[in-house]
Amino acid sequence: MTDTAASAPDTRFATKQVQAAYVSGTPQNTAVPPLYQSAAYEFGSLAEARDLFALRRAGNIYSRNASPTQQLLEERVTALEGGVSAVAVASGQAAVAVTILALAGRGGHVVAADRLYGGTVDLLQDTLADFGITVTFVDQDDPEAWRAAAHDRTRLFFAESVANPLAQVLDIRTVADLAHAAGVPLVIDSTVGTPYLIRPGEHGADIVVHSATKYLSGHGTSLGGVAVDLGSFDFGAEPARWPQFTAQHDRFGPLSLWERFGQGFAFAALVKAKYVHDLGPSLSPFNAHQILQGIETLDLRVSRQSASAQAIAEALAQNPAVAAVHHPGLAGNPWHDLAARYLPRGIPAVFSIDLVSTGDEALDQERVERFVDGLKIVRLVANIGDARSLVSHPASMTHSHLNAAQRATAGIAGTTVRLSIGIEDPADILADLQQALALAIAETAAEQEFATV
C-alpha cells in the first residue's frame, strides 16, 4: 500500500474505483517488454510538463507522439539496422509518407525507382502531388537516369532494397553515391529485405523504412511502420537547402532542430514533433507490443522462409506451366550477381512467377484465377512476410492503380503471381503450388481446345 490520496482510507467509493492501488511511475521487474496501454502520461510538476512540451526534455507526453512501448520498438529496430534513432508510426505507408514529407518539404522533388510497391507509387504520383511534391521515376538499374533526374529542388532518392513483387535487387552503393553527389540522402524501403538479410546503411543508405506489419511482425496481426535515421547524412552541410532542420521555428523555440538534437536525431525529432503530432499517424501501444514480440524470432523465421523460397523457386523453374520465376537466387536472373553481393545470408521469400500464357488475355485471366483459387495451403491475402504462405495477383490487387505502361516497366504482366513463402513445410507448399498449376493449365487448355473446334 502507498500513502497517497488515491489509496487513503478517507476517500470515497468513486475516487477509490478510479485511483486506488496505482502509483504512476512505479517500476516493475518484468522479464519481457511490458505493454504501456495508456493514452496519456502523468507529469511530476508543471515545470516538467512545460519542458517536455518545449522539447527541452525527453519524456512521455501523449501516445499520439509516442509511448514507452513504441520507444522500445524504435530502439530495437534502430539497433537491428545499426542506426542512431527511429520513429515508429501506424503503418509502413505512413513511415514512407512522413519520411518524404519531412525531407521534401514544400515544393520538393523526389527521384524514385520505377520498381516499387503499388501503394508507394500511388503516394508518390498522386497524394504527394497535392502537397506540391513532384517525382521522377527512373530505371533503378541505370545510374545515368538517377544522375540526370536530380536538380536543385531534389531532396531525396527513394528505392526498395529488394523490390515488391519481382524481387529486383538494388545496387545500393551505386545509387547512394549518386544521391550524395546530388547532395541528398538515399531513403531505402527495406521491408522485403529485412534487417537480418541486408542492412542498407552498410552500403551507403541514410534512412531506412520498414512496413513492420510484414517480416518484423511476422504474425499478420498488427499494422506498423518504422523509419530509421542511420546518422550518415549531414543536413547541416547545406543549411539553406534544409531549413526544416537548420532554421529556427516558432514551435520549437529559440534553437533549430539541428542545433538542439544534431545529426542522427533531428530527423526523428521533426517527424515526431510535426508530422506525427499534426497528422496523427500514431502507432498504438498494443501494436508496438505485438511487433516487438514478432521481432524476437525474426532471424529464425526469415532464415527458414528464405531457404524454403529458394528450393521452391528452383522447383517451379522446372515446371512447364511456369514461364518465368523472378527470384534473384536463380542463376540467369538479371539480379543474381547483385543478390550474391548484397544478400549473402539468403534471398527474401517474396518473389513472383509468370504462368505460361495462352496467348489470349481473357483465357490468361481465367488461368490465373484457377491457379489462385485452386490453392489449398497458400492463402490469397494482400500481405507479405507472414508466417503463412500467401499469394496475390499484382495486376489486379497491389499494383492495380498503375497504368499498363507502368506495370510493363515494372515487369508485371497479367500472368504474374506474387508469392510470399511462409514457415510451413516447404514440401507441402510446393505440392500445393504444383497441383494448382496443373489444374489451371489443364482446364484452360481444354477450354482453348474446345474453342477452336
Side-chain angles (χ1 to χ4, degrees):
M1 293 294 292
T2 64
D3 58 358
T4 64
S7 58
D10 58 346
T11 55
R12 291 171 175 79
F13 185 88
T15 303
K16 285 186 175 71
Q17 71 181 5
V18 175
Q19 296 196 13
Y22 178 70
V23 179
S24 173
T26 303
Q28 303 294 336
N29 58 329
T30 60
V32 298
L35 167 59
Y36 293 93
Q37 188 68 35
S38 180
Y41 304 89
E42 184 177 350
F43 308 113
S45 67
L46 182 56
E48 179 190 4
R50 187 165 51 241
D51 285 345
L52 287 167
F53 273 85
L55 302 182
R56 290 190 293 267
R57 181 189 298 191
N60 303 311
I61 298 176
Y62 193 71
S63 284
R64 184 171 79 245
N65 300 77
S67 72
T69 312
Q70 172 188 327
Q71 290 166 356
L72 178 54
L73 172 62
E74 291 166 351
E75 291 172 10
R76 186 158 294 179
V77 178
T78 296
L80 294 178
E81 284 290 359
V84 175
S85 64
V87 178
V89 288
S91 67
Q93 187 80 339
V96 174
V98 296
T99 296
I100 295 175
L101 286 170
L103 295 176
R106 295 189 186 98
H109 171 251
V110 181
V111 183
D114 57 8
R115 293 151 189 171
L116 298 172
Y117 162 62
T120 304
V121 176
D122 290 341
L123 171 70
L124 285 166
Q125 71 180 10
D126 188 0
T127 299
L128 289 180
D130 296 339
F131 291 80
I133 297 171
T134 57
V135 59
T136 302
F137 292 103
V138 299
D139 181 350
Q140 70 176 43
D141 299 321
D142 182 355
E144 185 53 40
W146 288 98
R147 183 182 294 108
H151 52 69
D152 60 356
R153 286 177 40 247
T154 303
R155 292 297 178 268
L156 68 141
F157 283 12
F158 184 91
E160 297 175 6
S161 58
V162 181
N164 172 6
L166 263 66
Q168 300 101 326
V169 181
L170 182 73
D171 188 348
I172 299 175
R173 172 54 64 184
T174 294
V175 179
D177 289 345
L178 292 166
H180 298 155
V184 300
L186 172 61
V187 178
I188 292 292
D189 183 336
S190 202
T191 298
V192 174
T194 80
Y196 176 67
L197 294 179
I198 183 170
R199 300 211 302 182
E202 295 176 351
H203 308 289
D206 303 292
I207 294 172
V208 174
V209 296
H210 286 278
S211 173
T213 312
K214 313 303 193 297
Y215 282 106
L216 294 180
S217 172
H219 35 60
T221 65
S222 305
L223 295 178
V226 185
V228 182
D229 187 342
L230 301 169
S232 55
F233 193 81
D234 183 3
F235 294 101
E238 291 186 79
R241 195 171 195 177
W242 308 102
Q244 64 268 53
F245 299 111
T246 60
Q248 180 184 337
H249 294 265
D250 290 341
R251 71 192 293 174
F252 301 137
L255 296 177
S256 70
L257 293 174
W258 197 249
E259 291 171 312
R260 179 169 295 173
F261 297 102
Q263 189 164 332
F265 296 96
F267 167 78
L270 176 64
V271 171
K272 285 190 177 186
K274 182 174 182 178
Y275 294 100
V276 177
H277 177 276
D278 293 1
L279 302 177
S282 308
L283 178 65
S284 76
F286 181 81
N287 282 23
H289 189 259
Q290 291 280 288
I291 295 165
L292 277 167
Q293 293 296 303
I295 286 175
E296 292 182 358
T297 59
L298 177 64
D299 68 329
L300 303 176
R301 289 183 284 106
V302 170
S303 294
R304 179 180 177 90
Q305 289 167 302
S306 175
S308 295
Q310 181 72 36
I312 290 167
E314 291 171 357
L316 291 178
Q318 305 304 313
N319 189 309
V322 177
V325 178
H326 304 287
H327 187 290
L330 300 180
N333 180 278
W335 296 274
H336 182 70
D337 290 344
L338 286 174
R341 185 195 316 172
Y342 287 110
L343 297 157
R345 284 179 163 175
I347 311 300
V350 176
F351 66 99
S352 292
I353 62 174
D354 290 342
L355 275 60
V356 168
S357 174
T358 65
D360 180 276
E361 187 175 342
L363 273 178
D364 281 349
Q365 183 173 332
E366 287 186 28
R367 176 166 286 183
V368 169
E369 288 184 5
R370 283 179 171 150
F371 167 63
V372 171
D373 294 346
L375 293 165
K376 308 300 182 185
I377 293 173
V378 183
R379 314 281 187 89
L380 177 59
V381 176
N383 195 21
I384 58 173
D386 201 331
R388 285 150 287 277
S389 292
L390 309 175
V391 64
S392 72
H393 183 236
S396 58
M397 294 173 65
T398 55
H399 293 69
S400 60
H401 294 167
L402 276 63
N403 60 41
Q406 287 175 312
R407 285 197 294 272
T409 297
I412 299 169
T415 55
T416 301
V417 176
R418 184 186 72 187
L419 300 173
S420 175
I421 303 303
I423 61 173
E424 306 97 341
D425 190 297
D428 290 336
I429 302 169
L430 179 59
D432 190 37
L433 293 167
Q434 302 278 37
Q435 66 81 23
L437 283 167
L439 178 68
I441 294 296
E443 290 184 352
T444 50
E447 282 192 17
Q448 193 172 25
E449 182 178 354
F450 179 78
T452 59
V453 174

